[in-house]
Amino acid sequence: MKQDLQNVTDYTNNNTIFMVWNFKDNAEVRIVFNQLCKLVINLNNSVNVRFPVSRASCVMGIGYDAWHQLNLPLPLPKELVNFVPVTGEKHTAVSSKGDLHFHIRADNTSICYDMAAAISDILEAVATSAEEIHGFRYWDSRSILGFVDGTENPQGQDREFFSMIGDDDAAYKGGSYLFVQKYIHNLSAWKTLSTEQQEKVIGRYKSNDVEMADDVKPANAHIALANVGDDFKIVRDNMPFGNISTNEMGTYFIAYASTFSTVEKMLNNMFIGSPAGNYDRILDFSTAKTGSLFFVPTFNMLDELSSE
């Protein structure tokens, strides 16, 4: 990873905390934000020195409304907007407010906890926590549904190409678009399906993660619709989460992308369908509860913002 880039290209870790914070109305947020930028830089430097093999990092993203409330530089990143819901005949990709997003990860849970606590200590005076999800690696990177998640992720240097803004938006080159959704799974309904039926919903064989042949894979299978072509990829870092006693089990979908339009193509295919009406069958068992878009600055950008 290049020194200046927030760690959007790393591979899925064992432990993750996702946090969404919203600024309070009329709060004096700019001074706190400046402190927060310095803190995020410091946290990343510190964990790299103290725990060099832990693969620990903290990535901060900034939402559209927060950008304006903080009086950050104009024009904005070209595709930074408030996410507009994608509504199909049966399912909707909802939109939810998000001013700041934090993606905290490490092999050691204690590191995640301490970074989250440090961020919360600074923010709690001017912002409220809208979401906090503790994700974990489930077996060999499987979702709670039992299938491997993220097989189509780009690998190696392609991760940087597909996740980071390029020369087409030179002022924000090296930054990234970050889109997140919290999905809750209906496991009771899912478990009524046979393994063969589940495989047709996903488009892969459950035990070995091999993709079905095109003449076998249903047109409404998840990977048939979520994969929009080799030229349009994203870096996913999805993590399962859950509370067994409340039966709130789900997947936190997180995508880093060089263009948000790539994510929009996926969402349109999944929720509206391709063609319209041929929606992603997985949505009959997985409900999107949130949906927010953020911009992830480089460390140099964070340093400049903290000095303004």
Side-chain angles (χ1 to χ4, degrees):
M1 185 184 69
K2 294 182 179 178
Q3 188 66 30
D4 182 43
L5 306 176
Q6 289 205 64
N7 193 12
V8 305
T9 61
D10 204 359
Y11 294 86
T12 302
N13 213 311
N14 289 336
N15 304 285
T16 305
I17 297 178
F18 304 103
M19 297 194 300
V20 178
W21 287 78
N22 292 324
F23 291 130
K24 298 176 183 178
D25 293 338
N26 303 317
E28 295 294 332
V29 297
R30 188 54 201 255
I31 293 176
V32 171
F33 178 75
N34 290 356
Q35 296 172 341
L36 189 62
C37 290
K38 294 176 182 178
L39 175 65
V40 170
I41 294 171
N42 183 264
L43 288 175
N44 283 281
N45 289 339
S46 177
V47 294
N48 284 330
V49 172
R50 296 171 62 207
F51 311 106
V53 297
S54 68
R55 298 195 304 124
S57 62
C58 171
V59 177
M60 182 176 76
I62 307 167
Y64 176 87
D65 288 339
W67 194 281
H68 288 286
Q69 188 172 353
L70 292 163
N71 292 315
L72 299 183
L74 299 176
L76 282 71
K78 288 182 179 179
E79 296 191 25
L80 180 60
V81 296
N82 279 326
F83 175 60
V84 177
V86 179
T87 303
E89 293 179 3
K90 188 173 181 181
H91 301 290
T92 298
V94 300
S95 175
S96 55
K97 180 174 174 55
D99 284 338
L100 297 175
H101 185 280
F102 299 92
H103 179 191
I104 300 168
R105 52 190 163 184
D107 284 338
N108 189 313
T109 308
S110 301
I111 301 173
C112 293
Y113 174 84
D114 281 353
M115 287 196 286
I119 290 167
S120 300
D121 286 345
I122 285 184
L123 274 176
E124 60 187 5
V126 298
T128 57
S129 174
E131 199 74 70
E132 181 177 325
I133 299 293
H134 292 237
F136 59 93
R137 182 182 178 91
Y138 184 56
W139 295 114
D140 49 338
S141 289
R142 293 178 185 263
S143 76
I144 296 297
L145 297 179
F147 286 77
V148 175
D149 194 359
T151 305
E152 291 295 324
N153 259 346
Q155 303 294 318
Q157 294 182 345
D158 283 346
R159 294 175 75 83
E160 186 171 311
F161 175 78
F162 285 111
S163 66
M164 295 178 180
I165 296 170
D167 293 329
D168 56 332
D169 196 358
Y172 298 103
K173 184 177 180 179
S176 182
Y177 292 103
L178 164 63
F179 181 73
V180 298
Q181 293 174 299
K182 180 179 79 171
Y183 283 91
I184 299 297
H185 303 314
N186 184 343
L187 291 181
S188 297
W190 180 251
K191 290 175 180 178
T192 65
L193 302 182
S194 66
T195 297
E196 182 180 0
Q197 290 172 324
Q198 291 179 358
E199 289 172 340
K200 289 181 178 180
V201 171
I202 302 297
R204 289 184 179 277
Y205 297 106
K206 193 171 187 177
S207 62
N208 59 14
D209 192 38
V210 172
E211 182 176 351
M212 290 178 170
D214 288 342
D215 59 347
V216 177
K217 180 172 51 189
N220 64 350
H222 175 59
I223 65 171
L225 293 168
N227 185 356
V228 292
D230 290 340
D231 293 332
F232 301 96
K233 287 185 176 290
I234 59 174
V235 172
R236 297 174 179 84
D237 208 350
N238 301 353
M239 292 292 275
F241 64 91
N243 186 312
I244 293 175
S245 63
T246 62
N247 200 33
E248 187 182 57
M249 312 292 288
T251 297
Y252 198 83
F253 171 74
I254 175 168
Y256 292 108
S258 58
T259 63
F260 179 59
S261 56
T262 298
V263 182
E264 286 183 307
K265 291 177 188 292
M266 295 174 55
L267 295 174
N268 285 336
N269 274 9
M270 291 175 61
F271 285 84
I272 296 174
S274 179
N278 183 54
Y279 66 85
D280 192 335
R281 180 81 164 95
I282 201 174
L283 298 178
D284 288 337
F285 307 93
S286 304
T287 302
K289 297 294 187 178
T290 67
S292 306
L293 175 64
F294 305 87
F295 171 73
V296 177
T298 64
F299 285 123
N300 274 355
M301 294 177 197
L302 288 180
D303 188 43
E304 292 171 2
L305 293 175
S306 70
S307 302
E308 291 183 1

